[in-house]
Amino acid sequence: SALRILIESLPAERISELAELANDLEDGPVLAAIFSDFAQRPQLNVNPILITKLASPAADVRAESIRALGKRSAIEARDHIARLLDDANDDVKQAAAETAGLLKGENVQDVLLTYAGHDHKGLAGASLESLRLLNNDRAAPSAVSLLKHRDTQLTALRYLSEFGTPAHVDQIVSTADGNLSSELQLESVSTLLAWRQRFPTSASKI
């Protein structure tokens, strides 16, 4: 709470003081919160400390470090993704999975394919989204499975819009029937329209 007040009160010309503060804080939730803020401030020269903290003993700090580096398009973090995907903590794995697609981590696609079927739905959804960004078309079965879980439905629909086929029409319709949120309805319609154009011989079935 104190950190939030500090960030909101700092004028733009003093935002760099957050980087100095990060160097003085112990590893823990406050440092993790600062790293989360760093993700939105590309002008700050904080990539070196974020890279260093990928080896933090605190899982939340490791997670926010790799997550921030991904959002900052820090290519130097790409070589750390595979190690963090093998982390003992599922939240760290999820953050690494999110980053893999943003940083074009082509070498971890097989791991992401495995995680797309993970019981931890945050990790599964992040893996599927990165596979979409990496233009990997091998995760359609996992995407169909993730349609059953409300938290991952939009991610699954976005994937299937690009890599699904008319064979998945019934699953899309069933998902839309069970979730009437405007965002999901729009994504469902967009997916079906995209398929009508991509598969003109099957248009009558869509």
Side-chain angles (χ1 to χ4, degrees):
S1 298
L3 175 64
R4 190 176 304 111
I5 293 170
L6 172 64
I7 291 174
E8 292 174 354
S9 65
L10 278 177
E13 64 271 16
R14 292 184 59 193
I15 287 296
S16 61
E17 294 179 15
L18 290 175
E20 300 171 14
L21 177 60
N23 283 314
D24 294 333
L25 284 172
E26 64 182 20
D27 290 16
V30 177
L31 183 60
I34 286 185
F35 286 175
S36 179
D37 186 77
F38 284 169
Q40 313 303 323
R41 302 186 190 276
Q43 75 276 19
L44 292 181
N45 181 25
V46 294
N47 286 4
I49 186 174
L50 291 170
I51 290 288
T52 297
K53 291 299 183 178
L54 292 176
S56 169
D60 53 355
V61 173
R62 296 196 302 276
E64 291 306 324
S65 295
I66 191 62
R67 187 173 281 121
L69 286 161
K71 292 179 179 178
R72 292 168 63 86
S73 301
I75 298 302
E76 61 267 37
R78 185 187 291 158
D79 292 340
H80 299 270
I81 293 173
R83 173 174 60 82
L84 292 172
L85 283 172
D86 194 39
D87 197 276
N89 183 278
D90 281 345
D91 290 336
V92 176
K93 290 178 181 176
Q94 177 178 336
E98 293 170 11
T99 303
L102 297 175
L103 298 185
K104 304 303 179 186
E106 304 284 348
N107 63 316
V108 298
Q109 293 187 65
D110 287 344
V111 178
L112 294 175
L113 281 166
T114 298
Y115 285 166
H118 202 281
D119 289 340
H120 186 297
K121 297 311 173 188
L123 174 56
S127 298
L128 185 66
E129 175 64 9
S130 278
L131 288 166
R132 183 184 71 83
L133 294 174
L134 292 166
N135 203 35
N136 187 303
D137 63 358
R138 294 183 288 161
S142 292
V144 170
S145 178
L146 290 174
L147 285 175
K148 301 172 186 176
H149 305 276
R150 200 175 185 90
D151 290 343
T152 55
Q153 286 175 338
L154 281 171
T155 300
L157 277 172
R158 282 192 292 267
Y159 183 90
L160 290 170
S161 179
E162 297 185 30
F163 303 112
T165 72
H168 303 124
V169 167
D170 289 345
Q171 289 94 331
I172 301 297
V173 173
S174 177
T175 300
D177 284 344
N179 185 342
L180 299 180
S181 72
S182 57
E183 189 175 13
L184 188 129
Q185 293 292 314
L186 179 60
E187 193 67 41
S188 300
V189 171
S190 297
T191 297
L192 295 176
L193 289 175
W195 287 356
R196 286 178 68 89
Q197 294 181 349
R198 192 179 309 141
F199 306 102
T201 60
S202 300
S204 62
K205 301 177 183 179
I206 302 175

